[in-house]
Amino acid sequence: MAKKGGEAVMVVVRMRPFNSKEKNEGRGPCISLDVKTSVVSITNPSKTGDPPKSFTFDAVYDIDTQQKHFYEESCYQMIESVLDGFNGTIFAYGQTGCGKTWTMQGLNHPPELRGVIPISFDHIFQSIKADPATQFLVRCSYLEIYNEEVRDLLGVDSTVKLNLKEDPGKGVFVKDLTEEVVKDVEGINKVMDKGFAKRTVGATLMNAGSSRSHSIFTVIIEASESVEGSDKDKIRAGKLNLGLIWQEVKEVARLEQLVDQHLHTSY
C-alpha cells in the first residue's frame, strides 16, 4: 500500500468485527492482534492447547480502527507520491464478506465512515486546489476482471471483452479502455458510481451483494508547471490504482501484469 519508511510495497491487515449472522450463531474469535508490534496471531479452535501461529505485517488494525486513521497512516503518503509524479497501488484483498468494500468504499454518510477511495478523491482535489500555479489534468478509468475476461465498466457496453496489449514505451495496457476527464470531486464520484453499478455481483453465504470479480479504478494525474528562467514547462504524471481483489483468484497472472509495473515507479 503506502510508502512507509522507504518500502516500495506494504502489506497491512485490518480485522472486521463480527457481523449479526456470526453473533447469532455464537461464533468466537480465533485471531488476536497486537497493534503496537504489528503481529497477527491465529489459534486453531479445535486445538486450543497448541501455541498460536504468529505473523508480522507492516501494520495491523483492530476492529475499533476508524476509517480516517487507517487512511492517514497507511494511504496518505501514497497519494502524496502520486501527486509528485509516481505510480501507486492500493488494493484490498480477501475472501467475500471480509470487509474489502467497507475499507475501500465505506459509506457516504456520515463522512467519518467514508473509505479509502472517497477520502483519496478529496485529498487529490484539495491538493490541486491548493496549487493554483500548476495546471492539472485528471483522467480516470474503471475495469473489471471476471472469469479471466477484462471488461470496461465505463464503456457503452460493459460486457465487451477487452484485450491486454504490451508496448515497449508504456508497458502492459488494456486496449480501448475508456478514460474520462474529471475536474472535481463531484465529477470523479459520478464516474466511480457509474462503474460501480456495473460490477458483477452475486449472493454468497457471507454476503448477499458480494462482488464476484476484481475491479481496478485508475486515476491519472498530469501536472504542468512553469520553470523560472526556462521557456519549457515541467511536466509530471502519476497513476493511482485503487482495487478490490476477490480472494478466489483465477486471474492472478493477468492482474499482476496490470498492477505490478504501477506499484511505486516513476511514470
Side-chain angles (χ1 to χ4, degrees):
M1 292 183 68
K3 187 177 181 183
K4 183 179 180 181
E7 297 96 337
V9 178
M10 282 181 60
V11 179
V12 307
V13 173
R14 185 180 186 185
M15 185 168 72
R16 67 161 175 80
F18 285 113
N19 58 34
S20 57
K21 181 176 183 292
E22 292 161 341
K23 290 178 180 179
N24 293 335
E25 293 174 350
R27 304 287 183 175
C30 62
I31 295 175
S32 62
L33 305 182
D34 188 325
V35 175
K36 291 183 178 180
T37 61
S38 301
V39 172
V40 176
S41 299
I42 304 175
T43 302
N44 186 337
S46 62
K47 299 179 179 180
T48 55
D50 291 354
K53 293 184 178 180
S54 299
F55 305 88
T56 302
F57 297 88
D58 291 289
V60 300
Y61 298 91
D62 59 25
I63 62 175
D64 296 319
T65 300
Q66 301 298 307
Q67 299 277 54
K68 185 177 181 181
H69 172 72
F70 178 83
Y71 180 84
E72 290 180 345
E73 185 169 289
S74 282
C75 305
Y76 181 91
Q77 188 55 50
M78 172 69 77
I79 308 305
E80 288 290 295
S81 296
V82 172
L83 288 163
D84 286 338
F86 292 88
N87 290 344
T89 297
I90 303 172
F91 68 81
Y93 168 80
Q95 71 177 46
T96 182
C98 73
K100 300 185 298 296
T101 302
W102 174 261
T103 291
M104 294 299 289
Q105 200 74 35
L107 299 176
N108 289 330
H109 302 288
E112 58 268 22
L113 296 184
R114 295 186 306 158
V116 170
I117 292 174
I119 296 176
S120 70
F121 292 166
D122 283 353
H123 186 168
I124 289 169
F125 284 100
Q126 286 171 2
S127 296
I128 290 174
K129 187 177 180 180
D131 187 8
T134 302
Q135 292 184 321
F136 288 90
L137 175 65
V138 182
R139 295 176 286 130
C140 53
S141 63
Y142 202 174
L143 65 81
E144 176 182 69
I145 302 176
Y146 179 64
N147 284 344
E148 302 185 59
E149 295 183 356
V150 180
R151 301 169 56 229
D152 184 358
L153 295 179
L154 301 181
V156 176
D157 184 355
S158 61
T159 64
V160 173
K161 176 183 176 182
L162 300 184
N163 296 314
L164 286 181
K165 299 291 183 180
E166 189 165 5
D167 180 88
K170 59 181 180 179
V172 178
F173 68 99
V174 180
K175 185 182 180 185
D176 299 325
L177 183 65
T178 301
E179 288 187 349
E180 296 198 13
V181 175
V182 292
K183 297 181 178 180
D184 50 31
V185 172
E186 182 181 3
I188 199 170
N189 278 326
K190 285 183 178 179
V191 172
M192 163 61 76
D193 291 344
K194 180 171 71 173
F196 195 79
K198 295 181 181 179
R199 294 176 313 140
T200 302
V201 298
T204 70
L205 291 176
M206 294 287 290
N207 189 350
S210 173
S211 174
R212 313 304 291 163
S213 64
H214 319 297
S215 60
I216 302 175
F217 188 90
T218 299
V219 184
I220 301 170
I221 305 170
E222 299 176 354
S224 173
E225 57 182 320
S226 58
V227 179
E228 187 176 352
S230 174
D231 58 353
K232 293 185 178 180
D233 290 346
K234 179 182 177 182
I235 307 295
R236 68 177 186 271
K239 179 183 290 187
L240 174 64
N241 297 302
L242 300 163
L244 293 173
I245 313 302
W246 191 37
Q247 188 183 38
E248 290 77 357
V249 180
K250 294 180 180 179
E251 299 90 350
V252 159
R254 190 169 293 236
L255 196 65
E256 287 178 344
Q257 283 182 297
L258 287 169
V259 172
D260 278 357
Q261 64 174 333
H262 301 311
L263 285 176
H264 206 81
T265 55
S266 180
Y267 176 71

